[in-house]
Amino acid sequence: MVEVRDSLGISDADLAEDLETQFKLIAAAYTTGEADEIDRVINHIAFFRHMKKQELHEAGDANDKDLGE
């Protein structure tokens, strides 16, 4: 997940606002056919969308790598 997101050149804070990239990451996860990967991507995106709504995404930027691996 982190590798795909990083290859797109987007931070988690930006990801929280970028619906097109969210869709790309979810679609890529589904192509793996692995339920754990799908869950990880969806949960990661949902977490940062929630943080954005709560205006806490800046605090999460320091932990970008920790959450996706």
Side-chain angles (χ1 to χ4, degrees), residues 3 6-7 28 30 38 59-60 62-63 67 69:
E3 297 82 19
D6 287 348
S7 72
Y30 270 92
I38 296 165
N63 296 321
L67 291 173
E69 296 178 339

Side-chain angles (χ1 to χ4, degrees), residues 47-69:
F47 176 78
F48 281 97
R49 286 173 54 102
H50 174 74
M51 288 185 73
K52 174 64 179 167
K53 286 181 184 177
Q54 301 299 318
E55 298 184 10
L56 299 173
H57 65 276
E58 292 87 4
D61 286 343
N63 296 321
D64 281 356
K65 302 284 184 201
D66 297 336
L67 291 173
E69 296 178 339

Side-chain angles (χ1 to χ4, degrees), residues 15-40:
L15 177 62
E17 299 178 8
D18 188 340
L19 297 177
E20 184 177 338
T21 301
Q22 292 173 23
F23 177 78
K24 288 178 183 178
L25 291 173
I26 292 168
Y30 270 92
T31 63
T32 68
E34 297 179 24
D36 289 342
E37 179 65 9
I38 296 165
D39 291 345
R40 184 173 31 253

Side-chain angles (χ1 to χ4, degrees), residues 5-6 9-16 61 64:
R5 189 206 63 223
D6 287 348
I10 190 166
S11 70
D12 285 323
D14 292 334
L15 177 62
D61 286 343
D64 281 356

